[in-house]
Amino acid sequence: MTENTEIVPAKWSWSDLYKQEDWWAVWLGALLLASVFTGLVTAVPKLPGWTWGAFGDTFSLGVLLPLAVLFAALAAIFAVGNAFVKPGTTVRFVCGFLLIAALAALAYVLAGEKAVKAWGISYAFWALLLGLIISNGIGTPEWIKPAVRTEFYIKTGLVIMGAEILFGNIVKFGAYGLGIAWGVTPVVIVFMWLF
């Protein structure tokens, strides 16, 4: 016979608002959204498509500098959350984050080549391939591990995506959309909590 165990909810405290990764995903997502709504961020740099032989002309300083500024800004923003969640790892986090961002950019560059794009090989394939080569070839370096926080980045992205969908529905449907947002969201939260 198995013993019945009682599920006890975890105790909550106000310090959870700045010590837990889940809350930092909400704060950072809200900060990134606010930077767009206030006009602080008006555009996000994109990597252009390219062909063999024209690589140097395509990726000039005018393309790479805004990308480097974006990476530095995101590293700083995420480092703040990391400093509260995992104190003492901030410097290694920033260094690792910048390398991960550079690898992500490399995956986009490889996917942006004209022939590769024609074959439909996306950046996700190249990111997986680069990750497999690094983790199975040389191994993941210890100094980069504090920045390998996949859940943290995904949670923050989900906050932004959720807000985009919510605000998109409000704009699309007007007052009816506001009713949907205010009505559906609490119902979903309550039913998922009960579930």
Side-chain angles (χ1 to χ4, degrees):
M1 294 194 95
T2 60
E3 185 178 313
N4 288 338
T5 57
E6 183 180 344
I7 298 174
V8 179
K11 294 194 181 222
W12 186 84
S13 70
W14 285 103
S15 65
D16 292 346
L17 294 174
Y18 64 89
K19 287 184 177 179
Q20 290 187 352
E21 183 179 276
D22 293 350
W23 279 108
W24 273 103
V26 172
W27 304 137
L28 296 180
L31 176 68
L32 291 170
L33 287 168
S35 67
V36 171
F37 290 143
T38 60
L40 184 63
V41 174
T42 56
V44 177
K46 296 187 188 269
L47 290 168
W50 60 284
T51 56
W52 290 106
F55 184 83
D57 298 333
T58 305
F59 295 99
S60 63
L61 188 61
V63 171
L64 298 178
L65 186 60
L67 198 61
V69 170
L70 174 67
F71 290 168
L74 287 175
I77 289 169
F78 278 102
V80 170
N82 183 73
F84 282 95
V85 176
K86 296 194 181 223
T89 62
T90 305
V91 173
R92 290 187 306 148
F93 176 84
V94 169
C95 293
F97 183 92
L98 293 173
L99 179 63
I100 290 170
L103 289 170
L106 178 60
Y108 269 95
V109 167
L110 293 171
E113 199 278 325
K114 186 178 178 182
V116 171
K117 197 178 236 180
W119 279 91
I121 303 173
S122 73
Y123 68 90
F125 168 81
W126 294 107
L128 285 169
L129 184 65
L130 289 170
L132 287 170
I133 290 170
I134 291 170
S135 64
N136 293 313
I138 62 172
T140 306
E142 286 298 318
W143 62 271
I144 198 175
K145 286 185 179 177
V148 181
R149 306 275 303 279
T150 313
E151 270 190 49
F152 189 25
Y153 309 132
I154 290 173
K155 289 173 189 174
T156 307
L158 286 173
V159 168
I160 294 168
M161 184 181 78
E164 177 187 359
I165 292 169
L166 179 68
F167 291 125
N169 283 340
I170 292 172
V171 169
K172 184 176 176 182
F173 297 117
Y176 177 68
L178 192 60
I180 291 172
W182 284 355
V184 171
T185 304
V187 169
V188 169
I189 289 171
V190 168
F191 278 102
M192 288 311 297
W193 181 79
L194 291 172
F195 179 68

